[in-house]
Amino acid sequence: MTSSPVTDPRSHLAQLLADAVAAAIPEQHGAAIALERPKQVGHGDYASNLALQLAKPLKRSPRDVAQALVQALPPSPWLAKAEIAGAGFINLFLTPTAKQRVVADILARGRYYGRVGLGQGRKVQVEFVSANPTGPLHVGHGRGAAYGASLANVLDAAGFAVSREYYVNDAGRQMDILALSTWLRYLELNGLSVPFPPNGYRGDYVRDMAHSIAQAHGRRYVHAPDALLDGVAPVTADAEAHLDGLITNAKKLLGADYAYIHDFALAEQLGDCRNDLLEFGVTFDHWFSEKSLYDSGQVERALNALEQAGYLYVQDGAKWFRSSAFGDEKDRVVQRENGQYTYFASDIAYHLNKVERGFGLVIDVWGADHHGHVARVKAALRALGLDPELLTVALVQFAVLYRDGNKASMSTRSGEFVTLRELRSEVGNDAARFFYVLRKRDQHLDFDLDLAKSQSNDNPVYYVQYAHARICSVLEQWGEDESSLRNADLGALTSDQELQILRLLMDYPAVVEDAARDLAPHLVAFYLKDLAAVFHSYYNSTHFLVDDELARMARLSLIVAVRHVLASGLDLLGVSAPAKM
C-alpha cells in the first residue's frame, strides 16, 4: 500500500504506521496513532505506543505486534530506520533530508509557519482582565492581561476564530462607591467637612477626579453634608450599612446630577484602563457593558427562564437560585430583599448572552480568588438547558514582585498597590509580557524585577531577543537578498547542532497546537528559551559567512528559519523581536 502524500515528517510517519496497520493487522485499520518526542535523542525522532494499544484486543504480546508493524512499514525516503524498544515502543528515526526540508517550509511561509488547523474556524471568545473600573490596573491585573492576550493569539494561530472581550462592571455597587468617594472628595475641595468612610476608595486618583469636576463645574454639585448622614447607620456599628446609607442619601441629594458624577468617574477610570492596556499591547474586539444587560432586560429574561424551570425560590424576602442542585456547595442569591439584583444575576445573563452570540467555546480568565464562582456559573448554564462544557474558566494565580531577593515595596500614587503602569515603567513592556507568561497560570509567579531589567543571558526575554538580533546582525553583514536562500541546497546541515535546531524547528507547530489545546501560552515561552539556547551555542561555535558557498547558503537559510520562528513565537506573546540590541 502506498502512503498518502503529506506535508510534514510527523504526519508522514503517522501515515506510514497507518499503512503498516492496514497491511499487517487489517482488522485494526483506522486505529488512533499518536507520536511523541522521546526524551532522549538516541531513542529516535518520534516514538509510538501503537503496539501496546493494539496488543490487548489482539491478545498478543506488544513486542510481537511491534515487530509485525515494523516489518510492514512501507519504504520511505524520510524514514531512516525503525526500532523496537522496551515493552513494545516503536522508535522512528528520520533521515537528515526529512529534517532539512523544514527550513524550506519556513522560508516559504515566513511568520505564518506554525499556524495549525486545530480550531477549524470554531468561534471562541476569550474574556479577560474585566477589572472593575474603580481605579488603576495593578500588577495582578497585568498577569491576567498578559495571559489572556497571549492565549488569544495562540488560539488564533491554532485556527480558532477568536473574539477578545472585556466585561465592564459599570452597573454594580463598586461603581456607586467610587462615585460617592469622588463626590465626597469634591465636597472637601469646596471647604465642607465630611467624614470619609474607611471602606471608600481612598487613592489619589479619586482626588484627581474630584479636582477635575471642581475645575469644570465649580460648586454646582455642593450640598449640605448634614443631610448626607440622615438615617445612616454609624460606621462603628456596620461599616457596609453605613456606606450603603451614604450612597442612598447621595443619590437623593444629587438627583439627576448623580448620574454625571457616576458616569464621569466611570469614563475616567475606564479610559485610563484602556490606555494602560493599549500601551501594554493588549487590545479588545469588544468592551461589553454590564449595564446593557439591565437596560435591555436580559437579566430579567434570564432569571424568568430559571424561575419557569423551577430553579428559583423566595426565602427571607430574597430570590435564590438552586445551584446546589447542580453541584454547587450551596444555593445563591440572585435578587436581594430590597429588589436589587446581585452580581451573580448579571453574570448569569452575561454568559447566556455569550452563548446566544454563537460562541462554540467561551473562555473566562479569572483571578484564582474567584475559583468559588466557577461551579455556580456552570450550574446556571445547566439550569438554562445549556452545555456547561461550553464554558472554560482559566484561573490565574497571583504575581509577587521581588527586588534584591526580597518582596518589593514599590511606591505608588494610590499608596495601596503597585500599578501595572509603574511595573511597565520600571521593567518595560517586553519583559513584563514575557515574565508574566513564563509560568503556568495556576502557579504563583515570583516576578524578579532585577532579572527582568538585566541585559544578561540569565534574563529569558533578553536571551530570546538577543538570539533574534544576532541573526539580524549576521544577515546585515552578509548583505545579500534573502530570497536567494529559498533555493539553497540544505544537504550541508548535518552537524549535531544543526540537526538539533532542525528538530526544534519541526516542533514549533506542535508547540502552538499544544499551547492552544491546554490553554498554556507558557509552552511557547519555554520553547523560545530552548530554541534560543541551541542557537546561541551554534552561533558561538560556527562561522556562517564562510567561503564554501554550499555551507554558507545552507547555514544562512537555517538561521533565517530560526529568526522567523523566534519572531513568530515572540509575537504570540506580545513581545517585540528587535533587529539590534
Side-chain angles (χ1 to χ4, degrees):
M1 182 177 293
T2 304
S3 61
S4 303
V6 289
T7 57
D8 68 277
R10 184 173 186 163
S11 299
H12 179 72
L13 294 179
Q15 185 61 58
L16 291 179
L17 283 173
D19 291 347
V21 172
I25 317 171
E27 65 270 28
Q28 294 296 323
H29 180 57
I33 296 171
L35 290 173
E36 300 292 339
R37 284 288 198 190
K39 293 182 179 179
Q40 298 182 32
V41 176
H43 292 171
D45 292 296
Y46 292 100
S48 175
N49 65 349
L50 178 61
L52 283 78
Q53 293 178 7
L54 298 180
K56 187 173 182 180
L58 293 172
K59 297 181 179 179
R60 295 168 58 183
S61 76
R63 287 189 67 89
D64 285 346
V65 176
Q67 186 66 44
L69 292 175
V70 167
Q71 289 177 350
L73 281 170
S76 166
W78 292 1
L79 179 62
K81 63 178 178 177
E83 294 180 347
I84 301 171
F89 289 94
I90 299 174
N91 293 339
L92 303 167
F93 296 76
L94 291 168
T95 62
T97 302
K99 299 175 186 179
Q100 292 158 1
R101 70 186 308 276
V102 71
V103 173
D105 191 16
I106 295 171
L107 295 187
R109 299 182 63 191
R111 288 198 178 192
Y112 290 99
Y113 176 73
R115 298 188 70 88
V116 295
L118 175 68
Q120 297 181 329
R122 185 183 183 192
K123 286 182 64 178
V124 57
Q125 183 211 59
V126 183
E127 181 228 321
F128 58 109
V129 187
S130 298
N132 287 333
T134 53
L137 296 175
H138 55 63
V139 293
H141 297 136
R143 188 177 188 190
Y147 170 80
S150 298
L151 175 61
N153 291 342
V154 166
L155 291 170
D156 179 75
F160 290 88
V162 182
S163 178
R164 299 157 175 84
E165 186 154 298
Y166 189 114
Y167 181 53
V168 182
N169 303 118
D170 54 1
R173 180 172 179 264
Q174 294 305 315
M175 281 308 306
D176 283 332
I177 298 173
L178 181 66
L180 172 71
S181 303
T182 303
W183 184 55
L184 293 179
R185 294 306 189 197
Y186 164 84
L187 294 179
E188 289 178 5
L189 288 173
N190 283 280
L192 299 177
S193 177
V194 182
F196 196 89
N199 44 356
Y201 285 101
R202 311 179 70 85
D204 286 346
Y205 66 94
V206 179
R207 297 181 185 274
D208 292 342
M209 291 191 295
H211 188 263
S212 295
I213 294 173
Q215 275 194 320
H217 301 283
R219 295 177 58 82
R220 173 175 171 173
Y221 305 110
V222 171
H223 292 268
D226 293 343
L228 185 62
L229 297 173
D230 285 350
V232 175
V235 67
T236 53
D238 188 334
E240 293 303 314
H242 176 79
L243 189 61
D244 287 339
L246 292 178
I247 291 171
T248 299
N249 285 349
K251 290 180 178 180
K252 290 178 182 176
L253 289 170
L254 285 164
D257 287 339
Y258 178 80
Y260 168 78
I261 303 292
H262 178 283
D263 292 349
F264 175 83
L266 170 64
E268 285 292 299
Q269 293 311 308
L270 194 57
D272 180 73
C273 173
R274 284 179 188 262
N275 291 336
D276 200 3
L277 290 170
L278 187 61
E279 291 169 4
F280 196 35
V282 176
T283 59
F284 294 88
D285 301 301
H286 194 200
W287 295 70
F288 190 100
S289 164
E290 178 189 6
K291 185 172 180 292
S292 72
L293 294 170
Y294 291 97
D295 294 343
S296 62
Q298 291 182 72
V299 173
E300 187 176 1
R301 178 167 65 88
L303 295 189
N304 285 342
L306 290 175
E307 192 162 26
Q308 290 172 10
Y311 294 120
L312 294 189
Y313 65 92
V314 177
Q315 180 176 306
D316 299 329
K319 276 190 178 180
W320 296 71
F321 167 54
R322 300 182 189 275
S323 55
S324 61
F326 300 94
D328 194 10
E329 60 185 4
K330 62 180 181 180
D331 294 345
R332 307 290 176 176
V333 176
V334 291
Q335 190 174 24
R336 298 186 180 92
E337 57 273 16
N338 61 6
Q340 291 185 340
Y341 292 111
T342 63
Y343 178 82
F344 179 45
S346 55
D347 222 18
I348 294 171
Y350 179 44
H351 284 83
L352 175 60
N353 174 277
K354 293 185 182 195
V355 176
E356 290 177 340
R357 277 187 273 161
F359 294 110
L361 175 63
V362 170
I363 300 171
D364 289 357
V365 179
W366 295 350
D369 55 331
H370 286 76
H371 66 91
H373 294 261
V374 178
R376 70 190 70 166
V377 175
K378 283 183 173 282
L381 289 175
R382 190 178 289 113
L384 289 168
L386 301 171
D387 182 2
E389 296 307 310
L390 288 172
L391 171 64
T392 295
V393 178
L395 297 174
V396 178
Q397 282 288 354
F398 304 105
V400 179
L401 305 180
Y402 283 83
R403 182 184 283 110
D404 296 327
N406 301 309
K407 282 188 178 181
S409 176
M410 294 172 59
S411 61
T412 70
R413 289 188 68 248
S414 66
E416 297 169 355
F417 51 76
V418 180
T419 67
L420 173 61
R421 188 172 279 113
E422 287 170 321
L423 175 67
R424 294 193 296 104
S425 176
E426 177 161 353
V427 305
N429 276 357
D430 284 344
R433 287 290 298 261
F434 199 91
F435 271 65
Y436 269 135
V437 297
L438 200 52
R439 294 287 179 271
K440 292 177 64 175
R441 60 177 170 82
D442 58 358
Q443 293 179 342
H444 283 276
L445 174 66
D446 293 338
F447 196 119
D448 189 329
L449 294 165
D450 299 308
L451 181 60
K453 292 185 291 184
S454 69
Q455 294 189 354
S456 72
N457 291 342
D458 293 329
N459 179 351
V461 66
Y462 176 85
Y463 195 55
V464 174
Q465 289 179 317
Y466 187 40
H468 185 273
R470 272 183 151 180
I471 294 170
C472 292
S473 177
V474 172
L475 296 173
E476 186 178 18
Q477 292 176 51
W478 177 47
E480 297 185 25
D481 190 346
E482 290 181 29
S483 63
S484 63
L485 299 174
R486 292 188 178 180
N487 297 318
D489 184 339
L490 304 172
L493 301 176
T494 57
S495 73
D496 288 343
Q497 285 180 321
E498 289 163 344
L499 293 175
Q500 190 177 6
I501 292 174
L502 292 170
R503 179 186 174 105
L504 278 170
L505 293 177
M506 289 168 57
D507 284 345
Y508 182 55
V511 170
V512 173
E513 185 166 322
D514 289 345
R517 182 180 288 108
D518 298 339
L519 310 184
H522 72 275
L523 295 177
V524 177
F526 288 1
Y527 170 84
L528 291 175
K529 286 174 59 182
D530 290 343
L531 181 58
V534 175
F535 168 76
H536 284 304
S537 176
Y538 183 52
Y539 179 94
N540 292 333
S541 64
T542 306
H543 293 293
F544 301 107
L545 303 180
V546 293
D547 292 335
D548 185 336
E549 182 179 6
L550 190 66
R552 180 175 70 250
M553 298 297 278
R555 291 171 187 174
L556 289 173
S557 298
L558 178 61
I559 66 172
V560 167
V562 172
R563 185 193 64 183
H564 281 308
V565 171
L566 289 173
S568 172
L570 287 170
D571 187 55
L572 292 181
L573 302 182
V575 179
S576 68
K580 295 182 183 295
M581 292 182 68

